[in-house]
Amino acid sequence: MSGIDWNGILRLPEAALAGCRRIPKTVLVKQAMLTKTEQKRLDKVARLEHFATVQKSTTRIPPYEDDERNVQSVVFLRCEMTAGTMAVAEVAELVHKCFPNPTVLLVEAGGCACISVALTRRSQAEQGATVVDRVESTGAFDPGRSEYADFLGALAFGLSQGDLWEYLVDLSRTVALSRAIGGLGFYPVCPARDREKLIALTSRYDEMGASVKRLKEQRRSKDITLNESAKLRMEMKEEERRLRAVADEIKEICNGRSR
């Protein structure tokens, strides 16, 4: 499997690397008891590999456990999509649920990349089981574009994390912040004291951007009346104004940085 030099980006310790061992899709089908519909979705994956495992024995980062979570390791998987397939979000969701550990999915699709991070928690319904609690994903992007350079640099491994849960949360936040790059033109970075505010703002930016996209799609409908189209246009303009206001707040926190 050729393509992106993922460890040139992640810079994980040599001990953590798994040698890109192939994971047969039949194993996932059996272990996760996938339905026929889910198996068809899995057909969009050309190849799945075990890329690395971050745990105490490979990175010296201690595990984390409390009443809600038990994080003993974080598994990195490398996924190559079949030719012409860009449905990275639905495939990532499916692959994440096949593993009991928190997983980081490194996807390659049509020259683009996608990084998806799944956080898990203990199941309330089944003792000893885990479920996917939350997924943060970049969406498909071109890793060669200059505006993504700082984001990719922020993914480089460091030993500042107190435990594996902290490492996982930091990784998921980095991925979440990357979704603002397309609109802002740069990866938002700010002083530590403003980080929580920045995360909240980028989350709002993400939601508003999705709202604008939905409104545009509604206006393109063939069944829409002129009156409905005018109302949607006004609503869309207002949402775009709010989106720009949030973007300005983000830029202010990031010291007005732009590209």
Side-chain angles (χ1 to χ4, degrees):
M1 184 174 177
S2 60
I4 299 168
D5 177 13
W6 285 109
N7 210 43
I9 296 168
L10 299 170
R11 302 191 181 281
L12 296 171
E14 192 70 26
L17 302 181
C20 292
R21 295 196 301 272
R22 184 167 190 165
I23 301 173
K25 287 187 281 186
T26 52
V27 173
L28 299 188
V29 171
K30 184 177 180 180
Q31 286 187 173
M33 295 183 289
L34 300 182
T35 65
K36 293 294 184 182
T37 300
E38 289 173 329
Q39 290 178 44
K40 286 184 179 180
R41 286 167 61 191
L42 196 61
D43 286 341
K44 295 175 181 177
V45 175
R47 183 181 177 91
L48 185 67
E49 299 174 343
H50 179 196
F51 182 75
T53 300
V54 171
Q55 57 190 20
K56 185 176 181 180
S57 63
T58 60
T59 63
R60 304 199 303 275
I61 301 179
Y64 175 87
E65 185 172 3
D66 62 12
D67 291 340
E68 189 178 15
R69 307 181 192 278
N70 181 13
V71 185
Q72 298 295 318
S73 64
V74 178
V75 176
F76 285 70
L77 304 166
R78 189 174 184 180
C79 176
E80 181 182 6
M81 305 288 283
T82 56
T85 300
M86 293 298 294
V88 292
E90 65 173 280
V91 168
E93 180 186 6
L94 177 61
V95 174
H96 282 310
K97 68 171 281 189
C98 294
F99 294 84
N101 307 78
T103 47
V104 178
L105 198 58
L106 311 171
V107 184
E108 298 177 29
C112 291
C114 172
I115 300 172
S116 183
V117 180
L119 288 72
T120 59
R121 59 171 173 80
R122 298 181 193 272
S123 172
Q124 297 177 346
E126 184 180 351
Q127 188 174 5
T130 61
V131 294
V132 174
D133 185 31
R134 190 172 86 247
V135 173
E136 295 288 358
S137 175
T138 60
F141 69 96
D142 181 352
R145 291 178 66 98
S146 60
E147 57 264 43
Y148 284 90
D150 288 341
F151 162 60
L152 296 176
L155 293 170
F157 180 78
L159 288 175
S160 60
Q161 291 80 15
D163 55 52
L164 286 174
W165 175 244
E166 186 177 331
Y167 170 69
L168 190 64
V169 169
D170 281 351
L171 197 58
S172 69
R173 285 175 173 173
T174 300
V175 165
L177 288 172
S178 75
R179 291 198 295 269
I181 295 174
L184 295 174
F186 65 93
Y187 175 66
V189 178
C190 70
R193 67 178 182 274
D194 294 325
R195 187 165 174 80
E196 291 302 321
K197 184 179 180 181
L198 177 62
I199 290 168
L201 283 170
T202 52
S203 178
R204 282 174 57 196
Y205 187 87
D206 205 24
E207 292 170 3
M208 288 180 181
S211 177
V212 169
K213 184 178 179 181
R214 284 194 300 271
L215 290 169
K216 286 181 178 179
E217 289 173 351
Q218 289 176 36
R219 284 197 71 207
R220 285 196 292 266
S221 172
K222 295 179 180 178
D223 300 324
I224 199 169
T225 66
L226 288 175
N227 189 43
E228 289 171 335
S229 179
K231 287 181 179 179
L232 285 171
R233 183 177 180 276
M234 291 178 63
E235 189 177 346
M236 187 175 70
K237 291 297 183 184
E238 178 60 21
E239 197 73 348
E240 287 175 337
R241 183 193 66 77
R242 293 173 182 165
L243 186 66
R244 288 193 297 271
V246 173
D248 288 342
E249 284 191 74
I250 292 172
K251 290 175 182 178
E252 185 177 348
I253 286 179
C254 298
N255 299 318
R257 178 182 176 188
S258 62
R259 301 245 173 152

